[in-house]
Amino acid sequence: MTACTMSTLGSRLCRLEPLSPVPLARIDKPAGSQSNVQHAGSVNIGNVHARDRRTLLVQPKIWCSAPYPHPKCQSDASTGKHGVRLFCSGSLSRSGSLSRSIVRVQATASAGESGSVGTRTSGRRRGTKTIGAPEREPSQQSPSARCGGRQIRVPLPSSGPLKPPAWAREAIEQQPWKGGLEPCEEQDYTLSPSNPADVSGRLPEALQGTLYRCGPGRIRVGGEKYGHWFDGDGMVYALHLDGPTGTARFVCKWVRTPALEKRGGLEVQDLGEEAWMGGKKTDRGTHMEEGERGIRMKGAWTAATAGGPLKNVGLPANPVNTSVIHFAGRLLALCEGGPPFLLDPLSLRTLGPFAFPGLPLPFFSAHPKLDPATGELYNFGNMLFGTQPFAISADGQHTRVGPLQGSSEAALVHDCAMSARFLVFTMPPYTATAGDVGQMLAGQHALGNRFTYDESKPTRVVIVAKDTLSVEVEMDVLPPFSNYHFCNAYEEEGRLHVLMTVLDGPRDGLEGVFKDMYGSSWQRSNQCSVWELVLDTATWEVLSRHRAMPSEPGTRGPTLGMEFAVVNPGYLGRKSRFLYVLGSMPEMEREERWSREGYGDGVWYGGREEQLKGEEEGEEGEEGGGAEVEGRNGVAKYGYLNCIQKYDLEMQQVTTHIVPPGCYVNECSFIPRNDATGEAPKKGMNKKAKKDTQTVTKEDDGYLAAFVYDASQHKSHVLVLDASDVAAPPVAVVHLKSHVPYYFHGTWAPKAALQ
């Protein structure tokens, strides 16, 4: 972060001077005049009016936003064109010091040019461009589309194995967020804080460890699409951070599964555009004509299209693409479709399938729960016609397996919640029949395409006791609800509180998006809200089922459609005040709010009128939270997730961090600052140790870290935020040399645990 001082504070007008030499821009002309942008090691910016705590409006006019994507100044000596992003962080105090604020400036785009880059009209930037990396010349391989109100050109590869087929280029041209679906190559390189193109700001010293992520590294083989996002081949990403030195090492590797080798190997352009163009569309998805190469191993939603009919006989392949955990000294990549795969924690080299002692189950869910009080890991296997819970000791040497929770139909159970004494499972009425399973095993179809949602049936809630791993109670809840994920669960005064992300619209609509991510558009009905289910632990009566935050579908509530909620891991199974979620703001609104507010908007208070002011005029909210696909001027209303929200469940407040237009954020991790985990004392601790642990009580004392895809560069960066002040500018940003495809889940592993 650039440190700044302020002087001549009279009438709240001041001047900015950076204390450390960084590549910034110098503004030579007074406020109100047409100014040039020049290379300089310092900035002296005319009159600065401190409008509020988070925003300083600086004249003359330069648009400065960083470290998004990074504070660099690029120059072309032959043309004199410059790209500049300035960064200053701080808040204005009475003493004139500056800390944690945004400096936003507007100015001309290049040296020697006259005229303003853009003007503001009614709080909206029109005809304005953000000064950043030099513009690329239009090309066939760099599709251009409007993201909100601005033009986004995605610089896709024009040759080589990563060159997308024509249909993929067209999809990305229409909606730039889809560039994040494209595959990337395996990589391993180091990033240095001495290079501002590598690291912006300053990595906190507490960040010593590795940020691991896992997701579908590709959802197409050459020109042939898989039948579902969840069938994509697994890829694991690691960002090794060393806070004291500020260095980072990025590694990404395929999880070398049998499915990966048989589905076309590692050549992502295996089929080629021409082969795809000769294919045809059927109820099995897009596939090759007989005799051509195709997908050679089936998935849960994807039929094998090459190698003959026997390729579709038996269970679907395990793509190992959902999450990664570090437990008992092992790094494991997970997917509920099979066993964990063991990886080298530094190089990410695949070591093969792994089984814990005494755990013969063939399936291992991707959402295990680590009990911070005991160190035990609780999980379950999704066994087609039921789930089977189990627990693994902190050292990984002992396991306990509970009885199978049987069912007459196949249900997709993805996650569970954990409190101090219980595990909570939900089984929405999204099921397949025994006949469907039999036909899948016989190779007649992919099982995932036979699941249907029946609104006339209840959602089944199953409570399992952690000490015995047996069912405490089963209950049916009407009207039904559908959820993929849980946020947390805790017990208080004889009540069990379960927080979960509940889908606001029909399940079939969401699954339709997942089945063709390139061809679909997001709607509000495809998104979720956080709900709370409250049960009496004595009678197991449902006492309440309500939204945890003040938001209603089709209204202008303070929260957005959301997914991927996380908490401080030390508060898992305990009452947590804060949730950190990813939100989906309409693209036009995101554009307008970014131009007005920059990174964040401070705090939204439930019930006040300053909530989601950017909703489309005249919009009618559909029942269940739906909305039209297109916004204004034919631009898709929703893209992928584009902001991070912090829910204060106690105060009913929401704080938002908006990523810049053209950028899309993935699930974040909460990284405790030092040992500020709020961790409950473990058994065997002495009294002094218990007392020391109990003094750590600040739940949001830590950082949020997330990978962000920037469509304008077709690259990704890792965003580090102060979890206690989410709306503030980033603490640091690590800029990667390529993009990271959208992933699902992951973990943070401290350096001490890795050693």
Side-chain angles (χ1 to χ4, degrees), residues 107 151 160 186 206 254 297 376 380 413 501 511 522 569 723 747:
Q151 198 82 6
E186 294 187 332
W254 295 103
M297 195 168 189
E376 283 186 292
F380 63 96
V413 181
T501 59
E511 296 297 331
W522 289 102
T747 190

Side-chain angles (χ1 to χ4, degrees), residues 356-437:
F356 286 95
L359 190 65
L361 300 180
F363 301 109
F364 194 100
S365 165
H367 282 283
K369 298 294 184 278
L370 182 65
D371 191 331
T374 65
E376 283 186 292
L377 189 75
Y378 291 87
N379 203 2
F380 63 96
N382 198 355
M383 310 292 288
L384 288 181
F385 292 102
T387 58
Q388 192 159 14
F390 55 86
I392 305 172
S393 62
D395 60 5
Q397 298 302 311
H398 305 283
T399 57
R400 297 184 290 123
V401 181
L404 176 69
Q405 304 165 22
S407 172
S408 60
E409 295 181 305
L412 179 59
V413 181
H414 180 69
D415 194 4
C416 69
M418 179 186 70
S419 70
R421 295 184 295 156
F422 303 108
L423 300 176
V424 183
F425 299 86
T426 58
M427 300 175 185
Y430 185 68
T431 58
T433 67
D436 292 329
V437 174

Side-chain angles (χ1 to χ4, degrees), residues 51 55-57 62-65 102 104-106 119-126 128 130 149-150 585 587-600 658-661:
R51 291 178 52 191
T55 304
L56 299 177
L57 200 57
I62 287 188
W63 177 258
C64 304
S65 58
I102 303 167
R104 295 193 294 164
V105 193
Q106 294 185 335
T119 60
R120 297 187 181 217
T121 305
S122 301
R124 188 178 305 170
R125 291 170 61 220
R126 297 178 177 175
T128 307
T130 300
R150 68 176 65 201
M585 186 177 291
E587 291 286 27
M588 290 297 295
E589 180 182 341
R590 191 247 294 248
E591 165 79 15
E592 293 165 3
R593 295 184 69 151
W594 173 259
S595 68
R596 294 196 311 264
E597 302 157 3
Y599 303 99
I658 305 170
V659 298

Side-chain angles (χ1 to χ4, degrees), residues 652-698:
Q652 291 287 280
Q653 297 176 0
V654 181
T655 309
T656 301
H657 184 99
I658 305 170
V659 298
C663 293
Y664 302 93
V665 64
N666 292 262
E667 183 188 62
C668 57
S669 279
F670 184 97
I671 305 173
R673 193 192 317 267
N674 299 324
D675 59 347
T677 62
E679 186 176 359
K682 294 184 175 65
K683 295 179 181 179
M685 277 188 175
N686 59 40
K687 292 182 178 180
K688 182 179 184 302
K690 291 183 179 181
K691 181 179 179 181
D692 290 344
T693 304
Q694 289 171 336
T695 61
V696 181
T697 58
K698 190 176 179 184

Side-chain angles (χ1 to χ4, degrees), residues 418-423 466 489-497 537 540 573-575:
M418 179 186 70
S419 70
R421 295 184 295 156
F422 303 108
L423 300 176
K466 289 168 64 177
Y490 66 94
E491 299 162 52
E492 185 178 64
E493 298 178 351
R495 297 181 177 185
L496 174 62
H497 299 255
T537 57
W540 292 115
R574 302 164 54 192
K575 185 175 183 178

Side-chain angles (χ1 to χ4, degrees), residues 307-612:
L310 293 181
K311 285 291 185 179
N312 285 306
V313 174
L315 290 171
N318 177 19
V320 195
N321 65 6
T322 311
S323 190
V324 60
I325 62 169
H326 189 270
F327 174 70
R330 301 177 179 93
L331 184 67
L332 301 172
L334 309 177
C335 179
E336 51 257 50
F341 269 62
L342 185 65
L343 308 176
D344 183 282
L346 294 180
S347 69
L348 300 185
R349 181 171 61 92
T350 302
L351 303 177
F354 178 82
F356 286 95
L359 190 65
L361 300 180
F363 301 109
F364 194 100
S365 165
H367 282 283
K369 298 294 184 278
L370 182 65
D371 191 331
T374 65
E376 283 186 292
L377 189 75
Y378 291 87
N379 203 2
F380 63 96
N382 198 355
M383 310 292 288
L384 288 181
F385 292 102
T387 58
Q388 192 159 14
F390 55 86
I392 305 172
S393 62
D395 60 5
Q397 298 302 311
H398 305 283
T399 57
R400 297 184 290 123
V401 181
L404 176 69
Q405 304 165 22
S407 172
S408 60
E409 295 181 305
L412 179 59
V413 181
H414 180 69
D415 194 4
C416 69
M418 179 186 70
S419 70
R421 295 184 295 156
F422 303 108
L423 300 176
V424 183
F425 299 86
T426 58
M427 300 175 185
Y430 185 68
T431 58
T433 67
D436 292 329
V437 174
Q439 293 174 17
M440 176 272 294
L441 294 173
Q444 297 181 27
H445 58 71
L447 180 61
N449 296 326
R450 291 298 190 265
F451 277 79
T452 58
Y453 191 81
D454 188 345
E455 293 184 355
S456 67
K457 294 182 179 180
T459 293
R460 171 149 289 199
V461 178
V462 180
I463 310 297
V464 172
K466 289 168 64 177
D467 56 352
T468 64
L469 293 178
S470 60
V471 175
E472 186 80 11
V473 67
E474 295 186 28
M475 64 189 75
D476 291 333
V477 178
L478 282 169
F481 61 88
S482 180
N483 70 301
Y484 265 111
H485 296 117
F486 291 88
C487 309
N488 202 5
Y490 66 94
E491 299 162 52
E492 185 178 64
E493 298 178 351
R495 297 181 177 185
L496 174 62
H497 299 255
V498 184
L499 293 162
M500 50 193 168
T501 59
V502 174
L503 182 62
D504 288 328
R507 178 67 175 261
D508 291 339
L510 175 63
E511 296 297 331
V513 174
F514 289 160
K515 288 178 182 179
D516 188 1
M517 291 286 281
Y518 281 102
S520 301
S521 294
W522 289 102
Q523 302 182 43
R524 178 61 181 87
S525 59
N526 305 141
Q527 300 161 10
C528 301
S529 299
V530 176
W531 283 69
E532 183 175 15
L533 179 68
V534 184
L535 306 172
D536 187 318
T537 57
T539 64
W540 292 115
E541 177 187 359
V542 177
L543 301 177
S544 176
R545 180 179 147 202
H546 61 274
R547 291 179 181 272
M549 296 298 295
S551 175
E552 295 291 336
T555 67
R556 298 172 180 174
T559 59
L560 302 168
M562 55 72 62
E563 247 294 2
F564 299 111
V566 299
V567 300
N568 180 330
Y571 283 75
L572 196 64
R574 302 164 54 192
K575 185 175 183 178
S576 54
R577 175 178 174 180
F578 302 113
L579 288 179
Y580 303 92
V581 309
L582 304 187
S584 179
M585 186 177 291
E587 291 286 27
M588 290 297 295
E589 180 182 341
R590 191 247 294 248
E591 165 79 15
E592 293 165 3
R593 295 184 69 151
W594 173 259
S595 68
R596 294 196 311 264
E597 302 157 3
Y599 303 99
D601 62 343
V603 178
W604 289 340
Y605 292 86
R608 293 181 61 177
E609 294 182 354
E610 52 202 53
Q611 303 163 355
L612 292 188

